[in-house]
Amino acid sequence: MATSSDAPVLDTLAAMTVDSIEHCGMDEKTLITTRIAALVAMDAPAISYLAHVNPAVKADFTVEELQDVLVAIAPVVGTARVMSAAGHIAQAFGVVIAMAEAEAEAIANAEAESRNMS
């Protein structure tokens, strides 16, 4: 049965991800490590890394662990893929930071507006 959605592609990708996680016996950290390695190997764009930021944070995945993944797979996937991944990861983090700043600004503006109404 087809469903109506404003973002059918993203909804489908999210459902596939949830389904994959539900059928995988890996712990969160191993899962995110594996997914990041796969993203690097396929030269995924920044948006693909962006989709993994929250799961990585929830799994307590550190920057040092990310660096270790890149070092570990560099001899297999090559320096070009690792350098490309580093750029895409930086772009993804930039988006996350910009979104957090925008959210913090919106909250501050709402609080200031609320104080001015009182």
Side-chain angles (χ1 to χ4, degrees):
M1 176 195 309
T3 60
S4 175
S5 171
D6 291 336
V9 174
L10 291 177
D11 291 346
T12 300
L13 293 173
M16 288 170 47
T17 299
V18 168
D19 205 32
S20 170
I21 291 169
E22 288 176 354
H23 292 93
C24 180
M26 293 179 182
D27 63 87
E28 290 179 337
K29 195 166 278 193
T30 302
L31 180 65
I32 198 68
T33 300
T34 303
R35 286 179 177 240
I36 289 173
L39 292 173
V40 175
M42 61 184 292
D43 199 19
I47 190 83
S48 295
Y49 291 96
L50 184 60
H52 290 81
V53 171
N54 282 338
V57 169
K58 288 178 183 175
D60 293 325
F61 194 76
T62 66
V63 171
E64 292 78 14
E65 289 168 322
L66 174 60
Q67 291 170 337
D68 286 343
V69 170
L70 297 178
V71 168
I73 66 174
V76 177
V77 299
T79 57
R81 287 279 166 101
V82 170
M83 294 308 294
S84 178
H88 294 146
I89 291 166
Q91 285 178 315
F93 281 136
V95 170
V96 170
I97 290 168
M99 290 170 56
E101 288 174 346
E103 184 177 347
E105 183 177 334
I107 290 169
N109 288 342
E111 289 174 351
E113 193 173 303
S114 175
R115 283 191 299 269
N116 289 336
M117 291 181 152
S118 299

